[in-house]
Structures are given as C-alpha cells and as structure tokens.
Amino acid sequence: MLKCSFCNCESVYLARYSGLHYCRLHFTASVERRVKRAVREQRIFERGQRVAVAVSGGKDSMTALHLLSSLASARRGTEIIAVTVDEGIRGYRDRSMEVVSDFCSIRGIRWVTRSYSEFAGFTMDMLSSARRERTTCAYCGVFRRTIMNALAREAGADVIATGLNLDDTAQSVLMNMSRGDTDRIAMMGPHESSVQGLVPRVQPLRHIPENEVLLYAMVSGIPFLQSSCPYAEEASRNMFREVLLRIEDEMPGARHAMVRAASRAAFPRRGGKAGSCASCGDATSGERCRACELREEAASLVGRGD
Ligand code: SF4
C-alpha cells in the first residue's frame, strides 16, 4: 500500500509535479489551502462586499462556487452571487443550469442568468447549424464574456471569480504565445483593478490542476454536470490541451512554471486608446466592440438560413 506523505493513511493521489502522495483528508486540505492562498493573493474578499461567481454547472465553476461560498460564510457582510449565461445548447446547458439552480437554492445563493436569445436574438444551436467560417466557440466565448461582465456589473459585484484552473491558464499562455499575442497574456487576469466598466476577473482555482479539481469535486460531493458541450470539438484550444498534457507528462511541473513565468513577465500592452462602443457603450479600443461586431455577423448568418 502506498502511504500518504503526511500520515500513515493510504494514498489516493500522487501529484507528479511535487512527488507527494496524498490521502483523501490531506488531499482536500491541500486543495483548500492553495485556494485560500489564491484568494489572499488576489484579494478576492478585500475589494468589496460582493463577489460574482461565473458558474456553468461544470466541475470547475461548481468547485469555485462551493469554496468561495464556504469562505464567504465566515465573513460578515460578504455576498456571493452566482451568474450563469445560457447559450441555448439543448441537452447540455439546460441540464447544467438545473445543477446550478438546485445548488444555489440549497445554499441560499442569489443566482442571476441571461440567455443568448435575450442578448442576441438567437441561440448557439441556431448559429451552429448556419453556414459560417468561424467556429461556434469563436462567437460563444466573446458573447459569454460580455454577458458575464454585464450581469456582474448590474449585480453591483466588485469582482467576477471564474473557475479557470491551472491547465486552462497554462493553455491560454501557450495559445497566446504561439500567436505572439503578448497583449492578450497581459490582459489574462487575475486583474488587479477594474478598467472602464469591466469588472475585474479573479481566479481562485489558478493553482489547482484540472485533474485535482475533478478529484476534489468528487470526494467532496460537489454536484456538477459531467458531459461536455456538443460543440467543444470545434474549439481551437483542444490542440493546446493535448500538447500541454504531453509536455506535463515529460516534464512534471511545466504547467505551474508556464503560469508563473507569464505572471512574472512584464508583457507590454499595445497602446490604443480605450473608448466606448458606439453600439452598446462597453469599453473598446475600436469604434465598436468585438461582441457587437460578432453579434451582427452571427445574426445575419442565422437569418440567412442556409
Ligand atoms: Fe460555447 Fe464552445 Fe464552450 Fe460550447 S465549447 S459552451 S460552444 S465556447
């Protein structure tokens, strides 16, 4: 029997990047300690009284909601608000929203939602069947960020916490480096302060690898939807996920190193004066924001019906 590195109990998990074995108790304690560290480092509860948590119903966002609402319950005056975007993906988002709805009503968490139908007049299912050059995700990701920000701003939140884990962040670093887009790396977050109507995004799971989030959610009994979005195969991120897993397999600790290096490096941001979008008023460096441009493009594709 392999033993936990901290006690005589049986090991249930080996963290290859550190060489440490964990029993169930020490594993959950280790995840919670690292999340508390991220909360302190990013001053998640120090910036104001309201923390919005972007929740899809998947393992990452449900774990972030579970941990942040537990931590907030010990801080008087702090409110957690769950925010969910309904992309209109039948058989997937409707099911994951049921998970969020049940969790929030049991925990007494305020839950606000907005759909792509309300935002753009069509669903992702409608857009996915239209003839188009971009992937479904290219529209979906931009709309989601815009709606999340609007929901958090309207709820008076001081920050938006996302469920981004270590792998998500390392993938983004790799993707943006491969495109030479250091400006995007500089904007990735966690954000120190707000910029022109953009609620700062924070990442409590930033130090936790994806497989550890999954294990934590399972051993802690956190409810979540296990299935993936039917359009996930289109995401350009998939290739980077595979590459990153191969790198981590050969070089345990590479994900941590990439994320650390990206946050230490002072990547320059392009100049560009930020103004307001002529259509919706959100911050943008151009005349119209990306969400409004894509919304118009997608609406014409859906309306064309071919
Ligand atoms: Fe949207 Fe793509 Fe994510 Fe599906 S996988 S929810 S289409 S971004």
Side-chain angles (χ1 to χ4, degrees):
M1 169 180 101
L2 286 169
K3 280 193 182 171
C4 172
S5 305
F6 304 94
C7 69
N8 280 328
C9 293
E10 186 178 357
S11 166
V12 295
Y13 175 67
L14 164 67
R16 282 192 62 220
Y17 56 84
S18 63
L20 294 173
H21 280 278
Y22 291 91
C23 66
R24 187 177 162 144
L25 199 71
H26 281 106
F27 172 74
T28 54
S30 161
V31 170
E32 287 163 7
R33 195 170 49 247
R34 283 174 284 159
V35 170
K36 279 185 194 161
R37 173 156 63 93
V39 166
R40 266 197 318 275
E41 284 168 356
Q42 297 171 40
R43 301 184 305 108
I44 292 178
F45 290 123
E46 272 79 49
R47 304 205 209 172
Q49 294 188 318
R50 285 206 183 113
V51 176
V53 184
V55 198
S56 66
K59 66 181 187 317
D60 302 297
S61 61
M62 290 301 291
T63 298
L65 182 61
H66 162 82
L67 286 167
L68 287 179
S69 62
S70 304
L71 291 172
S73 63
R75 304 177 74 99
R76 198 177 319 163
T78 302
E79 187 189 5
I80 296 288
I81 303 159
V83 296
T84 302
V85 175
D86 175 6
E87 299 93 344
I89 302 173
R90 231 205 277 206
Y92 169 64
R93 185 57 74 225
D94 43 356
R95 288 173 57 213
S96 76
M97 285 179 78
E98 272 176 33
V99 175
V100 183
S101 170
D102 291 349
F103 187 87
C104 289
S105 62
I106 291 167
R107 292 277 190 112
I109 297 170
R110 176 148 72 104
W111 183 42
V112 291
T113 69
R114 186 160 300 154
S115 67
Y116 281 10
S117 295
E118 292 167 276
F119 172 74
F122 53 83
T123 64
M124 265 305 125
D125 282 339
M126 289 159 77
L127 179 60
S128 74
S129 48
R131 186 139 37 104
R132 67 210 137 79
E133 286 178 11
R134 298 181 206 279
T135 62
T136 313
C137 305
Y139 297 95
C140 190
V142 174
F143 295 163
R144 186 189 304 110
R145 267 195 303 280
T146 298
I147 300 173
M148 281 295 180
N149 187 64
L151 286 173
R153 198 177 49 209
E154 288 160 20
D158 302 288
V159 290
I160 309 178
T162 66
L164 290 179
N165 58 48
L166 178 72
D167 293 56
D168 296 325
T169 311
Q171 286 158 18
S172 297
V173 171
L174 202 58
M175 272 166 74
N176 291 325
M177 285 299 279
S178 306
R179 294 171 181 151
D181 197 343
T182 50
D183 197 47
R184 263 184 191 266
I185 298 180
M187 291 191 298
M188 268 172 50
H191 301 142
E192 296 280 325
S193 54
S194 57
V195 182
Q196 287 201 351
L198 297 177
V199 181
R201 289 198 302 272
V202 291
Q203 302 164 355
L205 306 184
R206 184 176 175 79
H207 302 303
I208 319 291
E210 182 170 10
N211 60 331
E212 294 187 14
V213 178
L214 175 64
L215 183 58
Y216 180 84
M218 291 173 78
V219 300
S220 307
I222 299 169
F224 63 92
L225 185 75
Q226 300 216 24
S227 52
S228 323
C229 172
Y231 311 123
E233 279 181 14
E234 294 180 31
S236 54
R237 176 175 285 273
N238 292 337
M239 181 186 76
F240 293 95
R241 175 176 293 115
E242 282 169 29
V243 169
L244 189 68
L245 288 175
R246 279 180 53 198
I247 296 173
E248 180 71 24
D249 198 41
E250 292 289 326
M251 298 172 57
R255 292 168 299 186
H256 290 83
M258 275 185 210
V259 171
R260 245 190 336 262
S263 36
R264 279 188 197 145
F267 286 111
R269 290 176 70 164
R270 282 193 297 271
K273 226 171 100 210
S276 305
C277 170
S279 301
C280 71
D282 267 7
T284 180
S285 53
E287 198 181 316
R288 297 177 72 216
C289 70
R290 189 78 181 132
C292 282
E293 285 173 359
L294 287 178
R295 179 165 56 175
E296 193 174 287
E297 178 184 303
S300 75
L301 294 172
V302 171
R304 213 168 57 191
D306 56 8

